[in-house]
Amino acid sequence: AQLVIILVGTGDAMAMCGPEIWVDDTWVVDTGTRGGPAWLPEDWRTACRPSLSLYEKSLASLIKKHKRTGARLAVATPPPLGEGTEVHAPRLAGYRSPHRTLHDMARIVRRVATAEGCDVIPLFECAVYSLSKLSRPT
């Protein structure tokens, strides 16, 4: 049997946590030069704003697509963005805590993967544990 490992969400998390101007500069398709599933269309704010609910819907759809092939599936929780494990967002408009966002996304992965009968690879959880063991300069 074929094994498929799904790891998605890093770009989603970055787009959810960053200010809109950064999302425009980093992820919006420049018509004709880039494109594909990881890029956002110019009307992303109304058509497909990255969110936890869109992530859950897209993940479930991706899992179902691969399940139809008969493959065994494992879904990894997305990795942390950097070494910060702060839960609270910076006090700047347009920002969301990357750690909190990825924590919520990991919970979504576990919920959707379990509902679909898939294995879960706890990448986020293992990385956070390892980060907590790092010695930090004072």
Side-chain angles (χ1 to χ4, degrees):
Q2 183 181 13
L3 172 64
V4 174
I5 298 174
I6 297 173
L7 171 59
V8 295
T10 303
D12 301 79
M14 291 169 64
M16 281 185 247
C17 296
E20 288 184 354
I21 189 72
W22 179 82
V23 174
D24 283 333
D25 289 345
T26 306
W27 297 103
V28 173
V29 173
D30 180 8
T31 307
T33 61
R34 296 188 295 191
W39 301 106
L40 294 170
E42 291 180 14
D43 64 346
W44 67 271
R45 287 174 182 81
T46 56
C48 57
R49 177 181 288 274
S51 66
L52 294 173
S53 60
L54 180 58
Y55 177 72
E56 184 165 359
K57 180 180 173 185
S58 299
L59 179 63
S61 176
L62 183 63
I63 289 171
K64 288 175 183 171
K65 174 184 169 187
H66 284 288
K67 279 184 73 173
R68 286 193 295 270
T69 69
R72 177 178 175 201
L73 279 99
V75 187
T77 57
L81 297 176
E83 296 179 6
T85 57
E86 298 81 21
V87 174
H88 303 290
R91 294 185 185 273
L92 299 170
Y95 284 92
R96 178 180 158 89
S97 163
H99 184 77
R100 168 55 60 195
T101 299
L102 285 153
H103 177 271
D104 293 344
M105 292 171 78
R107 204 169 50 223
I108 288 168
V109 166
R110 287 190 301 278
R111 182 174 58 244
V112 173
T114 299
E116 293 294 333
C118 302
D119 295 318
V120 175
I121 301 170
L123 180 58
F124 175 78
E125 297 80 359
C126 291
V128 168
Y129 175 79
S130 293
L131 287 170
S132 74
K133 298 300 178 194
L134 291 175
S135 62
R136 304 215 189 264
T138 56

